[in-house]
Amino acid sequence: MKTATRLYLPRPLAISATVVFSLVLAACGTALPPTSSARVDMDTLLKSQAGHPSAITKSIARRTTREDPNSGLQVDLGPAAVLTVEDEARAAANNREAKLAAGTPTDPLRPEATLNLDDSEATKDLWVRVRQGFKLPPLEHELVAQHERFYAARPDYVQRMTARANRYLFHVVEEIERRNMPAELALLPFIESAFNPQATSSARASGIWQFMPATGKDFDLTQNIFRDERRDVLASTRAALDYLQRLHRMFGDWHLALAAYNWGEGNVQRALKRNQSQGLPTDYLSINMPAETRNYVPKLHAVRNIIAQPDAYSLNLTPIENHPYFVSVPIQRDMDVALASRLAALPLDEFKALNPSQNKPVILAAGTPQVLLPYDNAHLFVHNLSKHKGALATWTAWLVPKTMRPADAARQLGMPESTLREVNRIPPKMLVKAGSTLLVHRSEQRGRDVSESLADNAMMALAPDVPPLRRMALKAGKRDTVRSVAKRYGISVEQVAAWNKVSKTARFKRGERIVVYVPSKSKAQSSRSVASAKKGRIVREAKVGSKPRLRGSKRVMTAEVKRSSKLRTGAKARNARVRVASAR
């Protein structure tokens, strides 16, 4: 049944034909096959006919169920929905956009090659290929044996590591062979991250190759609020092997290059110079280094030995097939991560494991030109995307025009403050500074894909939501310390120490200059302060006896004023007696 044919009929005839056809189908127990691109919801049609008969000519219930003709997989893209004529037009426009939203899947290492999964070489075990490429010189040391025992005693840990490596190892091995580097380097992510792309160290190193933020920038790994390419498998592998090659050219020795990868090239150079100046050997085992670096290369050799002969350690390696686990699918439109995983018929966790660089729930085509998917899922993704008629992205980027509170920004954007804070990771009691980029809901006013400049340079700047501070300079008393000054002004010990460039336990000398910053007073507070100051002057004036204070409508003399009056009276009397005595 085609909606377009029904719409051309006269309205009364169209209604009766639709209802009759629906009843016939119901009576016969016949329904459209589940693999149809449009499935009629009979209850919706009958309810529409009972309440609003004319609505049947304008709407039809559809369930967006897809079946891939090659793999036979079905993807349910959501519950049944009623589409109006306007919805149909909008869906058609979205469908045209969706057909242009992705390109043809390719091998990311050989984009010009045709993928052939029937290749006989693809059925071989990848571990055989890895063993054939071992080139590092042997390292005989007790630390190697110690780490061999560690891994051999933890078969579950080895199993988890090798299972995770199944996704990425083929690509790493391919890249290493292309550069003619030792195959042992493909095992380095076992030492760095256990092949977990989401691994983050206490020193903020990230990804399977554990790049530090500064080193990642040196090797062109983008790090912003939308993505972190230190976690991107393709980009970080390229950068890590570039770095290792540079270190090998610098030191001429793979063991020293690996030590520098862990400890830093400057530290290794200084350690070599110390040994040279003392006439000592300059090999890896001879230089003085931290414990972590001393164990780094022995750990790699221990893993190498286990991969070479797993039976000798009573371990079983997870088999890894010798073909790409993933292919690259070009992305040409912004797209929600959740939608992409549904179109690819992949669990969300698996999709994120293959595309771990995403920091937000939307893929920006300008900043992320491709997604990685298993071959079958890539084919299904492209097929389903070409049929998709809904919106591709529900999120977009918004530049903050001025420094503002998240609540004010959420009100202006028409979205819940809790959602804005959560998706942008804004802590409590913080302001969002002007020029920051926030991820926000799409709307008619904000419906375009994010530009390349914004996708590459987006940043978030926050400031404490506190009153402006004013600087105060004080003179230290006899027993003033950093802690006592902080307590006196209700500020933290760390702040006082930082402002005065001293330790948190420092004691100030008497008369020493102390700097603190306190909240600036508002106009109302200033007015009260002025009033208090005037009041204080009146009291002080009263104390010396110039004028009494007024309290309500009654004149009241303070005790100080009374005492001052008595003193003056006594003084006058004494003066009078003196003058009388002199006269006498």
Side-chain angles (χ1 to χ4, degrees), residues 372-414:
L372 304 182
L373 297 169
Y375 180 83
D376 290 340
N377 300 88
H379 182 76
L380 188 61
F381 173 79
V382 173
H383 173 77
N384 287 335
L385 186 57
S386 68
K387 304 293 184 183
H388 181 66
K389 294 184 179 180
L392 293 174
T394 58
W395 298 95
T396 189
W398 181 65
L399 274 175
V400 179
K402 62 179 181 179
T403 299
M404 58 200 312
R405 291 185 171 88
D408 298 331
R411 196 177 304 112
Q412 182 174 332
L413 295 164

Side-chain angles (χ1 to χ4, degrees), residues 4-295:
T5 302
R6 188 180 66 252
L7 289 175
Y8 286 123
L9 296 173
R11 177 165 297 186
L13 181 58
I15 295 171
S16 60
T18 303
V19 175
V20 169
F21 184 58
S22 302
L23 293 174
V24 169
L25 286 176
C28 296
T30 308
L32 291 176
T35 57
S36 172
S37 61
R39 195 162 59 199
V40 179
D41 188 326
M42 304 306 298
D43 292 336
T44 304
L45 285 174
L46 292 174
K47 289 178 183 177
S48 300
Q49 190 268 344
H52 304 281
S54 64
I56 298 179
T57 62
K58 295 184 179 179
S59 64
I60 183 170
R62 293 190 176 186
R63 188 168 184 83
T64 49
T65 303
R66 304 280 184 262
E67 178 180 286
D68 178 65
N70 293 327
S71 66
L73 296 176
Q74 291 187 18
V75 181
D76 191 343
L77 297 182
V82 175
L83 301 178
T84 65
V85 173
E86 291 78 8
D87 291 334
E88 289 278 9
R90 190 180 301 111
N94 286 335
N95 182 243
R96 287 193 295 272
E97 288 290 306
K99 288 180 179 178
L100 300 173
T104 304
T106 59
D107 183 339
L109 284 178
R110 295 186 297 270
E112 72 287 347
T114 302
L115 293 174
N116 178 18
L117 295 186
D118 295 326
D119 185 357
S120 59
E121 291 295 317
T123 61
K124 292 183 179 178
D125 188 352
L126 183 63
W127 294 120
V128 175
R129 185 176 169 189
V130 171
R131 294 181 192 113
Q132 291 172 348
F134 285 163
K135 296 178 183 178
L136 286 184
L139 186 70
E140 302 294 337
H141 198 274
E142 171 56 27
L143 285 175
V144 176
Q146 179 181 319
H147 291 298
E148 288 172 350
R149 292 191 293 270
F150 173 88
Y151 290 118
R154 292 164 176 81
D156 292 344
Y157 177 57
V158 174
Q159 175 71 20
R160 288 196 302 273
M161 285 199 304
T162 54
R164 276 197 295 263
N166 180 47
R167 298 187 185 102
Y168 319 113
L169 189 60
F170 177 86
H171 172 77
V172 177
V173 171
E174 283 273 295
E175 186 70 16
I176 283 175
E177 286 186 353
R178 190 175 66 83
R179 298 172 182 236
N180 195 29
M181 299 170 73
E184 288 94 338
L185 301 180
L187 309 177
L188 200 58
F190 282 117
I191 313 304
E192 290 286 352
S193 62
F195 264 105
N196 179 7
Q198 300 290 355
T200 302
S201 74
S202 58
R204 298 196 305 150
S206 186
I208 63 172
W209 296 96
Q210 287 292 283
F211 269 99
M212 294 290 287
T215 311
K217 289 179 182 177
D218 289 343
F219 287 89
D220 300 323
L221 295 178
T222 300
Q223 301 161 62
N224 61 28
I225 65 170
F226 289 116
R227 70 188 192 279
D228 187 344
E229 288 186 341
R230 294 179 300 159
R231 300 197 302 265
D232 183 285
V233 178
L234 302 182
S236 66
T237 298
R238 182 266 309 160
L241 299 184
D242 284 350
Y243 189 22
L244 286 166
Q245 282 183 315
R246 190 180 83 179
L247 293 171
H248 184 253
R249 288 193 297 270
M250 184 181 297
F251 296 104
D253 178 275
W254 278 115
H255 288 165
L256 292 177
L258 288 164
Y261 186 88
N262 175 259
W263 190 25
E265 57 216 64
N267 290 323
V268 173
Q269 285 174 329
R270 284 187 287 273
L272 291 174
K273 286 181 180 178
R274 281 195 296 269
N275 277 28
Q276 287 172 344
S277 64
Q278 297 171 19
L280 298 174
T282 56
D283 60 289
Y284 171 80
L285 292 174
S286 299
I287 62 174
N288 188 21
M289 65 188 88
E292 180 185 330
T293 309
R294 179 159 295 282
N295 283 272

Side-chain angles (χ1 to χ4, degrees), residues 467-472 489 491 499 516-521:
L469 300 178
R470 62 188 178 90
R471 187 174 183 274
M472 289 181 58
Y489 289 94
I491 50 184
W499 291 334
V516 296
Y517 290 85
V518 297
S520 298
K521 295 179 181 178

Side-chain angles (χ1 to χ4, degrees), residues 486-537:
K487 185 177 180 180
R488 187 184 311 156
Y489 289 94
I491 50 184
S492 70
V493 172
E494 290 78 9
Q495 285 177 313
V496 176
W499 291 334
N500 293 277
K501 298 180 181 179
V502 296
S503 70
K504 292 185 288 187
T505 57
R507 180 182 297 275
F508 294 110
K509 295 179 182 178
R510 186 171 186 176
E512 185 179 351
R513 186 168 170 271
I514 305 173
V515 173
V516 296
Y517 290 85
V518 297
S520 298
K521 295 179 181 178
S522 64
K523 291 183 179 179
Q525 289 174 323
S526 299
S527 300
R528 286 196 295 271
S529 298
V530 171
S532 299
K534 289 181 178 178
K535 184 177 179 181
R537 283 198 295 272

